[in-house]
């Protein structure tokens, strides 16, 4: 076991997969010489050379396009879009090209590509660097969407994403870059599409992603002292969504809360609520609660962000209300 | 690490005037005939409501696809557009499965799910059409980069219209290909119109080829109705790409005889303009060239046309009598497993 | 009253507003000389001249950008993105620029712009011309999103959209272009954010948008013969969503079905289901049902589309199941 | 309908060499001092953790913003980037509310919600910064088109970096502005780097200005560290735009003294390169010019610097003692009512 932070766990994953498979390459803005604008690809250029770790122009549409064409012709590209907020510039390549190729051409082309991106929610850096737009890609057939919350998950899921034959949108969380965890030294994979129960509990199912997993776990400690045991489920991939694990939990707890950094309308909270209703309506004692930031852009500054985003206290309050 | 030589800076390409073998000329002529017949007969079939969707005819532009693809190998890649049938055929796609695809039939090359705007054949390096104007150009860079990574000397070609050259995707792809020195040909078929809008209304620059300068690569205006000129320009650009000298932008000046799609009344252009371009018909010109050089006889050329006519007619017959896809098939292939 | 089809109703709306307010202008691909690729702006060039009705290059990002800058400087642009499938090319201008300007600059700029676009779902024209992506914009604060289903609604909502001081994404439906309705000759507006009960009923609330409104109404006829009276609600704007009207109906019917052309995950069906759960959980006899196409791209051809999309029969079946 | 004359085709601009009034030169110098002091002191404050977020310093590029904005009127429009403070000040934004905004304070020009990358002032035609590289260029076209529709002779300026010139948005906006003959200046400040990537790695073409040719408009390379050269080029381009002759692309060659953001160790460039550019410092050069022309005295120039230093220091004091915004404010202004 070695203690690794979230950022290095991801670098390790990419490094291992690049060593394992010469078809894997990484391209994006400042990923090579600089080792990543936020350090997310340190050492990879030296280890794998300038053709396989390559800086691109600031051209998000063609960065994704590069991945699409390379995947169609036998490579396994990892293309990086520095922040998910920039998806507005490359959704066409993601949605109309990458996501539809395998389908349209009846499997004639495999599309093994990873679109590596990041949310910097709650880092205080304003409206163009902190959005949680995973719903956009979760809405699109042909894509898989991953959002790890821990270093070990990040590593295992990245390795699976690289080996997957479909376009995978991999969303890392800058606010989690420095959290640490002991990770086994042997190779391991974490399958896409499998939720993880981050804490078992009997009273309320709390579904949370990314940063919110940690806030939910902190809330669990407080609630536990009051005798309320929440079960914290991290879907880890939101498409495909592991409905079974969530529903099995709700069957037991009869109460559910979904907490996200993303907005409520058309977001994961609504999707999970609708799924629970579909599969566990008669098990619910109370309606599923959704805890999200209010429907505003993200202003600059941590003060505004702390006010807008769910936190330990608001999760505790929401759970208490479900138990009332 | 790359086996290609890296050469910097832009030179305007001046290909050596080379004699093309008669056999090669005949191949080009027959391919142009195949496309011409295909487009003619599909138009007729579409007008009779024999198949659904739209038809974006390639009539008049045959020399572009054939001239460029004649300079390519089977293992080279092409990416095309909504107006892609000429490119599919020129790159070698089999006629019958392609026509069945246009009819949305189960035995179409994509099982009928691609329809008029989408067909592909990995074995021939045909990487698909597109419903998004400019949507294919970005991913052509990826195909070219695969070749670089493999150390092969394959090239990739992105076909697109002059209308697409106003898309951001064109710019980003041109710039990346130039900066990375990719083995990629950008082939702009300037048929003067994007839907109903003349290029003069959407660009102050008359020649798309002049945009190459902004990326430090060669750009060349070519008579897109002269298949031998297209072939010569493409051959030189392909050779440059294979040798590691990077991308080229070719602008092929041409004209679509039909409307944007079959049925478009073409109010936006004059009958005189149409007649002028008809007088520069690529098939008539190659026909005249073959006869003037005594490479073949009128009767032989006629027989080839009859031959292609019959083949297209037969393919359409197959399409007409082919089954529609089983709708349940729509549920398959969403994800690779 | 004059009989108008959906397409002409929209033209009338734009024409009236352009006559009323010299700041309104229209720009997009083939909107001027050609009168619209699908005839949606016939006569406007002649009526309002070449500066106010203008063809653009095929440059979706700058088409929206043109609207953003013009709105900021006092105009009321209508910018047209021919198909909603092309939103992948211009989401940045819509989401990061148009939607956030008023907020970021504390109201210093009003953003009175309409992004006119279209879905061609069930027209058989394949994967790049038939997507229903309204959820993408519904997820974004600062935008309003309109999807009219009838000629009169189309007209009244377009007029309101043009007069609104916010960026409004206006999604017309090509499959409805030729449906006709008697429309009053006097001026009228239909407010954004107000649902319409297209048919009153007591047994099941059916929430449907666009084309699905008509299918739901057809299903209502059949069900009525069986003694089942469905209430068909067309939200008309999905952002803001008129939750009150929907909830009031469910309080009465105790059963709800949502039918959309859009995909289920992260779509309107999930959003409406979650809202109903929030506000009318204890009124529900059975879980809210969601009827949508399966999670696949749209293949070419009407055969596939007819198979994939909800229709009269599947709506009837879903309602019967809710009543069982 | 437009009051502008429509002129087609591109001419390389050759502005008449004109003497600039001393008063105007002094204004430019003082404005450059204001920016220099602002950036210097903000860097220091940021290093002491006195405010949150990032700081993208404008140090070294002062002549660009000042030269261009000196050619503008209050009712002309500008659109800028993440590195926008120079432009805000040059276009006349008041120092204190701007600095308070950087500190995220309630009395910042956007109430603290815009922060380092977003500020605006409609009364001065300042249409905002951006967190999206290239995100402002498209909407500059709309501001220019408002002027056309109003029949006014206002112009709009889009400021952006050389890195942004690789974005699709640059291309689409250049093309539209050229085709529509918009009164729009594209001002590319080529400071050689985009984050840690040198332009040579992301473009084969060394001069962004050469891209103008692809749109049929004038493009000009200007010494971006010579404020009088920038001013002359901008003045000519603005005159052209006002007269209805359409857009111009100016490429201002310059250098950012700091890293991409404050704290960036600049491993990607040499200390020699930095020293070379420091030797071409825009303030030192204008200072030397003023003295060599005997327009003013060393002591007067010193007093101006002290003056600006004090003003910036005072503004930072205000910012430090200003209240944070009430978080509840975050709920307001989502929609106009
Ligand atoms: C992104 C996008 N915008 C608009 C359209 C609608 N459209 C289809 S073809 C076409 C014109 C394309 O013109 P050009 O690139 O010159 O190709 P041509 O049709 O002349 O071959 C347009 C605007 C589209 N399909 N995709
Ligand atoms: C669309 C987008 N891509 C990437 C980034 C990250 N980023 C911020 S500044 C920057 C470099 C911009 O370079 P340039 O345009 O030359 O401006 P400069 O910083 O040199 O002033 C990058 C890549 C971003 N903010 N937006
Ligand atoms: Mg064309
Ligand atoms: Mg730069």
């Amino acid at each position: 076991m070695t203690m690794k932070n979230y950022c290095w766990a991801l670098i390790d994953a990419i490094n291992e997969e690049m060593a394992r498979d010469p078809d894997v390459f990484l391209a994006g803005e400042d990923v090579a010489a600089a080792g990543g604008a936020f350090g997310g690809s340190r050492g990879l250029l030296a280890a794998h050379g300038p053709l396989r770790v390559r800086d691109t122009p600031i051209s998000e549409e063609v960065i994704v396009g590069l991945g699409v064409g390379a995947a169609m012709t036998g490579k396994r590209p990892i293309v990086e879009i520095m922040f998910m907020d920039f998806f507005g510039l490359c959704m066409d390549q993601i949605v109309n090209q990458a996501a539809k190729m395998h389908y349209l051409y009846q499997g004639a082309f495999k599309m093994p590509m990873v679109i590596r991106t990041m949310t910097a929610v709650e880092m205080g850096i304003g409206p163009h660097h902190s959005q949680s737009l995973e719903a956009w890609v979760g809405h699109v057939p042909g894509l898989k969407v991953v959002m790890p919350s821990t270093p070990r998950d990040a590593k295992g899921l990245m390795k699976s994403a690289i080996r997957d034959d479909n376009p995978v949108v991999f969303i890392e969380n800058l606010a989690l870059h420095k959290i640490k965890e002991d990770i086994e030294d042997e190779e391991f994979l974490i399958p896409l599409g499998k939720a993880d129960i981050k804490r078992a509990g009997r009273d309320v199912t709390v579904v949370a992603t990314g940063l919110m997993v940690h806030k939910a776990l902190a809330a669990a400690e407080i609630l536990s002292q009051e005798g309320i045991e929440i079960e914290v489920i991290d879907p880890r991939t939101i498409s495909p969504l592991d409905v079974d694990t969530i529903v099995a939990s709700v069957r037991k707890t009869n109460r559910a809360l979904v907490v996200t950094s993303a907005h409520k309308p058309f977001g994961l909270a609504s999707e999970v609520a609708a799924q629970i209703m579909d599969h566990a309506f008669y098990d619910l004692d109370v309606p599923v609660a959704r805890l999200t930031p209010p429907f505003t852009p993200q202003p600059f500054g941590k003060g505004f962000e702390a006010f807008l985003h769910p936190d330990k206290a608001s999760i505790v309050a929401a759970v208490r209300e479900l138990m009332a | 690490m790359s086996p290609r030589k890296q050469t910097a800076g832009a030179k305007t390409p001046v290909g050596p005037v080379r004699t093309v073998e008669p056999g090669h000329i005949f191949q080009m002529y027959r391919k142009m005939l195949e496309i011409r017949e295909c487009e003619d007969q599909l138009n007729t079939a579409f007008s009779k409501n024999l198949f659904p969707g739209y038809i974006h005819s390639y009539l008049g532009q045959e020399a572009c696809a054939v001239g460029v693809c004649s300079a390519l190998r089977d293992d080279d890649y092409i990416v095309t557009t909504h107006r892609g049938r000429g490119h599919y055929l020129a790159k070698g796609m089999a006629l019958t499965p392609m026509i069945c695809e246009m009819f949305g039939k189960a035995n179409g090359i994509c099982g009928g799910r691609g329809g008029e705007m989408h067909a592909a054949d990995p074995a021939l390096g045909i990487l698909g059409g597109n419903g998004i104007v400019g949507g294919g150009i970005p991913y052509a860079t990826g195909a070219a980069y695969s070749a670089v990574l493999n150390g092969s000397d394959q090239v990739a070609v992105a076909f697109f219209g002059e209308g697409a050259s106003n898309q951001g995707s064109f710019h980003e792809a041109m710039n990346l290909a130039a900066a990375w020195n990719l083995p990629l040909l950008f082939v702009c078929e300037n048929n003067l119109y994007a839907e109903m809008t003349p290029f003069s209304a959407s660009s102050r620059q008359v020649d798309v080829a002049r945009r190459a300068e902004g990326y430090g690569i060669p750009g060349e205006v070519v008579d897109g109705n002269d298949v031998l000129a297209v072939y010569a320009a493409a051959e030189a650009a392909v050779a440059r790409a294979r040798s590691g000298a990077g991308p080229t932008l070719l602008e092929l000046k041409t004209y679509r005889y039909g409307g944007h799609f079959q049925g478009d009344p073409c109010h936006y252009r004059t009958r005189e303009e149409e007649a002028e371009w008809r007088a520069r018909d690529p098939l008539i010109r190659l026909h005249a060239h073959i006869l003037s050089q005594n490479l073949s006889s009128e009767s032989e050329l006629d027989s080839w046309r009859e031959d292609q006519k019959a083949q297209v007619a037969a393919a359409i017959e197959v399409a007409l009598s082919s089954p529609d896809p089983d709708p349940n098939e729509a549920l398959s292939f969403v994800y690779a497993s």
Side-chain angles (χ1 to χ4, degrees), chain A residues 203-230:
Chain A
D203 296 319
V204 175
T205 300
V206 176
V207 178
T209 49
L211 198 50
M212 291 302 153
V213 173
H214 300 273
K215 298 193 184 189
L217 290 172
E221 294 292 332
I222 295 173
L223 290 160
S224 179
Q225 285 158 24
E226 302 174 12
I228 301 176
E229 293 299 338
I230 64 175

mmCIF file of all heavy atoms in Angstrom, chain A residues 203-230:
data_model
loop_
_atom_site.group_PDB
_atom_site.id
_atom_site.type_symbol
_atom_site.label_atom_id
_atom_site.label_comp_id
_atom_site.label_asym_id
_atom_site.label_seq_id
_atom_site.Cartn_x
_atom_site.Cartn_y
_atom_site.Cartn_z
ATOM 1 N N ASP A 203 -30.838 4.129 8.081
ATOM 2 C CA ASP A 203 -31.959 5.063 8.225
ATOM 3 C C ASP A 203 -32.313 5.862 6.969
ATOM 4 O O ASP A 203 -33.473 6.025 6.646
ATOM 5 C CB ASP A 203 -31.671 6.034 9.375
ATOM 6 C CG ASP A 203 -31.592 5.303 10.709
ATOM 7 O OD1 ASP A 203 -32.427 4.402 10.937
ATOM 8 O OD2 ASP A 203 -30.678 5.594 11.495
ATOM 9 N N VAL A 204 -31.300 6.387 6.332
ATOM 10 C CA VAL A 204 -31.547 7.213 5.143
ATOM 11 C C VAL A 204 -30.469 6.896 4.106
ATOM 12 O O VAL A 204 -29.287 6.797 4.453
ATOM 13 C CB VAL A 204 -31.487 8.724 5.473
ATOM 14 C CG1 VAL A 204 -31.630 9.568 4.200
ATOM 15 C CG2 VAL A 204 -32.562 9.113 6.482
ATOM 16 N N THR A 205 -30.883 6.732 2.860
ATOM 17 C CA THR A 205 -29.927 6.576 1.763
ATOM 18 C C THR A 205 -29.544 7.959 1.264
ATOM 19 O O THR A 205 -30.416 8.747 0.884
ATOM 20 C CB THR A 205 -30.574 5.785 0.608
ATOM 21 O OG1 THR A 205 -30.958 4.504 1.104
ATOM 22 C CG2 THR A 205 -29.619 5.631 -0.559
ATOM 23 N N VAL A 206 -28.254 8.252 1.291
ATOM 24 C CA VAL A 206 -27.789 9.535 0.763
ATOM 25 C C VAL A 206 -26.944 9.257 -0.477
ATOM 26 O O VAL A 206 -25.879 8.642 -0.382
ATOM 27 C CB VAL A 206 -26.980 10.331 1.803
ATOM 28 C CG1 VAL A 206 -26.439 11.615 1.193
ATOM 29 C CG2 VAL A 206 -27.853 10.640 3.026
ATOM 30 N N VAL A 207 -27.440 9.667 -1.625
ATOM 31 C CA VAL A 207 -26.688 9.501 -2.868
ATOM 32 C C VAL A 207 -25.949 10.805 -3.113
ATOM 33 O O VAL A 207 -26.562 11.880 -3.130
ATOM 34 C CB VAL A 207 -27.620 9.176 -4.049
ATOM 35 C CG1 VAL A 207 -26.831 9.046 -5.337
ATOM 36 C CG2 VAL A 207 -28.417 7.906 -3.770
ATOM 37 N N ALA A 208 -24.637 10.726 -3.284
ATOM 38 C CA ALA A 208 -23.834 11.942 -3.458
ATOM 39 C C ALA A 208 -22.706 11.647 -4.433
ATOM 40 O O ALA A 208 -22.253 10.498 -4.552
ATOM 41 C CB ALA A 208 -23.268 12.396 -2.119
ATOM 42 N N THR A 209 -22.249 12.699 -5.136
ATOM 43 C CA THR A 209 -21.142 12.538 -6.083
ATOM 44 C C THR A 209 -20.032 13.523 -5.744
ATOM 45 O O THR A 209 -20.270 14.564 -5.121
ATOM 46 C CB THR A 209 -21.611 12.833 -7.523
ATOM 47 O OG1 THR A 209 -22.322 14.067 -7.532
ATOM 48 C CG2 THR A 209 -22.499 11.724 -8.061
ATOM 49 N N GLY A 210 -18.832 13.188 -6.193
ATOM 50 C CA GLY A 210 -17.690 14.108 -6.109
ATOM 51 C C GLY A 210 -17.468 14.639 -4.701
ATOM 52 O O GLY A 210 -17.432 13.905 -3.715
ATOM 53 N N LEU A 211 -17.325 15.933 -4.633
ATOM 54 C CA LEU A 211 -17.102 16.624 -3.373
ATOM 55 C C LEU A 211 -18.191 16.315 -2.356
ATOM 56 O O LEU A 211 -17.941 16.265 -1.138
ATOM 57 C CB LEU A 211 -17.109 18.131 -3.698
ATOM 58 C CG LEU A 211 -16.520 19.123 -2.745
ATOM 59 C CD1 LEU A 211 -15.115 18.707 -2.327
ATOM 60 C CD2 LEU A 211 -16.478 20.498 -3.427
ATOM 61 N N MET A 212 -19.397 16.108 -2.823
ATOM 62 C CA MET A 212 -20.532 15.920 -1.921
ATOM 63 C C MET A 212 -20.450 14.597 -1.158
ATOM 64 O O MET A 212 -21.050 14.463 -0.093
ATOM 65 C CB MET A 212 -21.842 16.016 -2.698
ATOM 66 C CG MET A 212 -22.123 17.419 -3.196
ATOM 67 S SD MET A 212 -22.180 18.619 -1.825
ATOM 68 C CE MET A 212 -21.705 20.111 -2.692
ATOM 69 N N VAL A 213 -19.708 13.642 -1.707
ATOM 70 C CA VAL A 213 -19.508 12.386 -0.982
ATOM 71 C C VAL A 213 -18.837 12.678 0.352
ATOM 72 O O VAL A 213 -19.248 12.173 1.403
ATOM 73 C CB VAL A 213 -18.651 11.417 -1.818
ATOM 74 C CG1 VAL A 213 -18.299 10.170 -1.009
ATOM 75 C CG2 VAL A 213 -19.360 11.055 -3.116
ATOM 76 N N HIS A 214 -17.831 13.526 0.305
ATOM 77 C CA HIS A 214 -17.081 13.825 1.521
ATOM 78 C C HIS A 214 -17.911 14.622 2.513
ATOM 79 O O HIS A 214 -17.833 14.424 3.718
ATOM 80 C CB HIS A 214 -15.781 14.551 1.155
ATOM 81 C CG HIS A 214 -14.925 13.712 0.251
ATOM 82 N ND1 HIS A 214 -14.040 12.789 0.728
ATOM 83 C CD2 HIS A 214 -14.902 13.587 -1.104
ATOM 84 C CE1 HIS A 214 -13.472 12.147 -0.290
ATOM 85 N NE2 HIS A 214 -13.982 12.627 -1.415
ATOM 86 N N LYS A 215 -18.718 15.517 1.979
ATOM 87 C CA LYS A 215 -19.586 16.279 2.872
ATOM 88 C C LYS A 215 -20.640 15.357 3.501
ATOM 89 O O LYS A 215 -20.996 15.510 4.670
ATOM 90 C CB LYS A 215 -20.259 17.400 2.099
ATOM 91 C CG LYS A 215 -19.259 18.414 1.523
ATOM 92 C CD LYS A 215 -19.971 19.657 1.049
ATOM 93 C CE LYS A 215 -19.008 20.628 0.377
ATOM 94 N NZ LYS A 215 -19.629 21.929 0.101
ATOM 95 N N ALA A 216 -21.114 14.410 2.719
ATOM 96 C CA ALA A 216 -22.111 13.479 3.257
ATOM 97 C C ALA A 216 -21.480 12.610 4.343
ATOM 98 O O ALA A 216 -22.106 12.328 5.379
ATOM 99 C CB ALA A 216 -22.677 12.612 2.130
ATOM 100 N N LEU A 217 -20.230 12.202 4.122
ATOM 101 C CA LEU A 217 -19.560 11.379 5.129
ATOM 102 C C LEU A 217 -19.333 12.176 6.420
ATOM 103 O O LEU A 217 -19.471 11.638 7.524
ATOM 104 C CB LEU A 217 -18.234 10.840 4.575
ATOM 105 C CG LEU A 217 -18.399 9.772 3.471
ATOM 106 C CD1 LEU A 217 -17.052 9.447 2.836
ATOM 107 C CD2 LEU A 217 -19.064 8.507 4.020
ATOM 108 N N ALA A 218 -19.026 13.446 6.246
ATOM 109 C CA ALA A 218 -18.861 14.296 7.441
ATOM 110 C C ALA A 218 -20.199 14.449 8.154
ATOM 111 O O ALA A 218 -20.269 14.395 9.392
ATOM 112 C CB ALA A 218 -18.304 15.656 7.030
ATOM 113 N N ALA A 219 -21.241 14.610 7.378
ATOM 114 C CA ALA A 219 -22.578 14.729 7.980
ATOM 115 C C ALA A 219 -22.948 13.439 8.714
ATOM 116 O O ALA A 219 -23.584 13.465 9.773
ATOM 117 C CB ALA A 219 -23.612 15.052 6.900
ATOM 118 N N ALA A 220 -22.509 12.309 8.151
ATOM 119 C CA ALA A 220 -22.841 11.012 8.744
ATOM 120 C C ALA A 220 -22.310 10.908 10.170
ATOM 121 O O ALA A 220 -22.963 10.354 11.059
ATOM 122 C CB ALA A 220 -22.282 9.884 7.878
ATOM 123 N N GLU A 221 -21.128 11.462 10.374
ATOM 124 C CA GLU A 221 -20.526 11.413 11.711
ATOM 125 C C GLU A 221 -21.414 12.136 12.729
ATOM 126 O O GLU A 221 -21.669 11.634 13.828
ATOM 127 C CB GLU A 221 -19.145 12.089 11.700
ATOM 128 C CG GLU A 221 -18.092 11.382 10.880
ATOM 129 C CD GLU A 221 -17.702 10.040 11.487
ATOM 130 O OE1 GLU A 221 -17.814 9.880 12.724
ATOM 131 O OE2 GLU A 221 -17.314 9.151 10.705
ATOM 132 N N ILE A 222 -21.847 13.295 12.332
ATOM 133 C CA ILE A 222 -22.693 14.091 13.233
ATOM 134 C C ILE A 222 -24.018 13.384 13.492
ATOM 135 O O ILE A 222 -24.464 13.249 14.631
ATOM 136 C CB ILE A 222 -22.960 15.472 12.600
ATOM 137 C CG1 ILE A 222 -21.636 16.230 12.496
ATOM 138 C CG2 ILE A 222 -23.981 16.251 13.416
ATOM 139 C CD1 ILE A 222 -21.748 17.531 11.737
ATOM 140 N N LEU A 223 -24.604 12.901 12.406
ATOM 141 C CA LEU A 223 -25.913 12.259 12.524
ATOM 142 C C LEU A 223 -25.815 10.991 13.377
ATOM 143 O O LEU A 223 -26.726 10.669 14.149
ATOM 144 C CB LEU A 223 -26.469 11.946 11.132
ATOM 145 C CG LEU A 223 -26.887 13.189 10.342
ATOM 146 C CD1 LEU A 223 -26.960 12.897 8.847
ATOM 147 C CD2 LEU A 223 -28.237 13.707 10.853
ATOM 148 N N SER A 224 -24.690 10.305 13.212
ATOM 149 C CA SER A 224 -24.501 9.068 13.944
ATOM 150 C C SER A 224 -24.564 9.325 15.452
ATOM 151 O O SER A 224 -25.106 8.522 16.214
ATOM 152 C CB SER A 224 -23.157 8.461 13.546
ATOM 153 O OG SER A 224 -22.919 7.281 14.250
ATOM 154 N N GLN A 225 -24.013 10.460 15.838
ATOM 155 C CA GLN A 225 -24.059 10.804 17.258
ATOM 156 C C GLN A 225 -25.483 11.021 17.752
ATOM 157 O O GLN A 225 -25.764 10.889 18.943
ATOM 158 C CB GLN A 225 -23.211 12.058 17.517
ATOM 159 C CG GLN A 225 -21.714 11.749 17.477
ATOM 160 C CD GLN A 225 -20.879 12.979 17.203
ATOM 161 O OE1 GLN A 225 -21.295 14.098 17.451
ATOM 162 N NE2 GLN A 225 -19.679 12.768 16.667
ATOM 163 N N GLU A 226 -26.347 11.353 16.800
ATOM 164 C CA GLU A 226 -27.762 11.514 17.166
ATOM 165 C C GLU A 226 -28.516 10.206 17.016
ATOM 166 O O GLU A 226 -29.734 10.159 17.137
ATOM 167 C CB GLU A 226 -28.431 12.537 16.246
ATOM 168 C CG GLU A 226 -27.782 13.889 16.275
ATOM 169 C CD GLU A 226 -28.395 14.840 15.238
ATOM 170 O OE1 GLU A 226 -29.461 14.524 14.668
ATOM 171 O OE2 GLU A 226 -27.785 15.902 15.018
ATOM 172 N N GLY A 227 -27.784 9.173 16.626
ATOM 173 C CA GLY A 227 -28.441 7.877 16.433
ATOM 174 C C GLY A 227 -29.024 7.670 15.053
ATOM 175 O O GLY A 227 -29.732 6.706 14.797
ATOM 176 N N ILE A 228 -28.721 8.604 14.109
ATOM 177 C CA ILE A 228 -29.209 8.425 12.738
ATOM 178 C C ILE A 228 -28.068 7.887 11.887
ATOM 179 O O ILE A 228 -27.010 8.503 11.801
ATOM 180 C CB ILE A 228 -29.720 9.758 12.147
ATOM 181 C CG1 ILE A 228 -30.844 10.319 13.018
ATOM 182 C CG2 ILE A 228 -30.185 9.563 10.710
ATOM 183 C CD1 ILE A 228 -31.343 11.685 12.572
ATOM 184 N N GLU A 229 -28.276 6.736 11.290
ATOM 185 C CA GLU A 229 -27.225 6.124 10.481
ATOM 186 C C GLU A 229 -27.584 6.251 9.002
ATOM 187 O O GLU A 229 -28.523 5.615 8.526
ATOM 188 C CB GLU A 229 -27.060 4.641 10.845
ATOM 189 C CG GLU A 229 -26.530 4.410 12.257
ATOM 190 C CD GLU A 229 -25.139 5.025 12.495
ATOM 191 O OE1 GLU A 229 -24.400 5.250 11.503
ATOM 192 O OE2 GLU A 229 -24.814 5.296 13.672
ATOM 193 N N ILE A 230 -26.838 7.104 8.296
ATOM 194 C CA ILE A 230 -27.130 7.240 6.869
ATOM 195 C C ILE A 230 -26.239 6.295 6.065
ATOM 196 O O ILE A 230 -25.121 5.969 6.472
ATOM 197 C CB ILE A 230 -26.958 8.692 6.360
ATOM 198 C CG1 ILE A 230 -25.506 9.179 6.472
ATOM 199 C CG2 ILE A 230 -27.904 9.630 7.080
ATOM 200 C CD1 ILE A 230 -25.282 10.555 5.860
#
